[in-house]
Amino acid sequence: MSKKAAILGLAVIGFSAIPVYADSQSTNSSLKIGDVNLSINNTGTVLTKTQPSTGKWLGEQKFQSFGSMMWVQEHNVLFVAGVLEGGNKPVLLKIKGTGGGGQNMFALTPNGESAKGYNYRLGSQMMSVQNMTYQGKLLQIRSGSTTYQINNVGGGGNNMFALVNNTECKSMTGYNYFVQCIVK
């Protein structure tokens, strides 16, 4: 085998080991993302970000009640669901990376809006979430007896899935994030 063929053969082997899509599942306890650990405390009220190797505290986000979280590596986004401290409605949040640091690491207001001057929050959807999965280009979110199927990871801003009335199984005109609902 020539030197060029050997090098080409190694390159092909190297590329075939890289997954095209990161299949993701939600968790309601802890998640490791690169050099960051995210974990919810026993009462489900504080999501803490730490450095795995040292245990160093990096930040936290407070909740009245925590639902679930899921990392979608392909899009570098973290989905986090629950009722934020000071809020009164369940919200699903799409966060850029793992957010920032400090006492309000996602820089959110109690209703899930971005705090002035911050852009960690990419989008939100007012809904209660029990479970989420992402496989290929399909995001599935279970809310009660309804599973919403969304193209990729949806859009941005409030009502990031562009659903009529924020939760109805119908897309707003001009958007194509919503695929369908499965009701069981």
Side-chain angles (χ1 to χ4, degrees):
M1 181 184 304
S2 74
K3 196 178 209 181
K4 285 182 181 178
I7 292 170
L8 180 59
L10 288 174
V12 171
I13 291 169
F15 284 121
S16 67
I18 299 170
V20 176
Y21 299 111
D23 293 342
S24 302
Q25 298 271 334
S26 63
T27 177
N28 61 4
S29 59
S30 63
L31 192 59
K32 185 173 191 274
I33 304 167
D35 62 348
V36 168
N37 273 345
L38 293 172
S39 58
I40 192 73
N41 68 351
N42 290 337
T43 61
T45 57
V46 181
L47 181 63
T48 304
K49 181 175 7 177
T50 58
Q51 190 175 51
S53 59
T54 64
K56 178 183 175 186
W57 180 87
L58 301 172
E60 68 184 30
Q61 189 69 50
K62 293 183 179 170
F63 290 82
Q64 284 185 36
S65 62
F66 183 77
S68 187
M69 63 183 154
M70 179 180 71
W71 174 247
V72 181
Q73 180 179 352
E74 176 185 347
H75 294 279
N76 190 38
V77 295
L78 174 68
F79 284 97
V80 181
V83 178
L84 292 164
E85 181 181 62
N88 60 6
K89 293 183 180 177
V91 62
L92 173 61
L93 300 154
K94 182 168 52 171
I95 304 295
K96 183 186 332 177
T98 60
Q103 296 290 324
N104 184 359
M105 67 184 174
F106 301 146
L108 299 169
T109 64
N111 66 355
E113 298 282 333
S114 289
K116 188 173 174 108
Y118 293 90
N119 64 355
Y120 302 124
R121 173 195 166 269
L122 299 172
S124 64
Q125 194 73 42
M126 299 307 263
M127 64 171 42
S128 178
V129 175
Q130 289 77 45
N131 191 11
M132 299 175 274
T133 60
Y134 180 81
Q135 295 177 330
K137 294 183 180 267
L138 186 66
L139 174 65
Q140 294 191 88
I141 299 161
R142 187 168 54 86
S143 178
S145 62
T146 303
T147 298
Y148 296 87
Q149 293 185 334
I150 305 296
N151 279 320
N152 288 308
V153 292
N158 299 326
N159 196 6
M160 67 185 164
F161 303 145
L163 300 174
V164 172
N165 298 324
N166 212 39
T167 57
E168 193 173 320
C169 291
K170 184 177 176 185
S171 181
M172 294 176 64
T173 304
Y175 294 90
N176 63 356
Y177 305 124
F178 174 73
V179 176
Q180 70 176 344
C181 279
I182 300 169
V183 181
K184 291 185 181 184

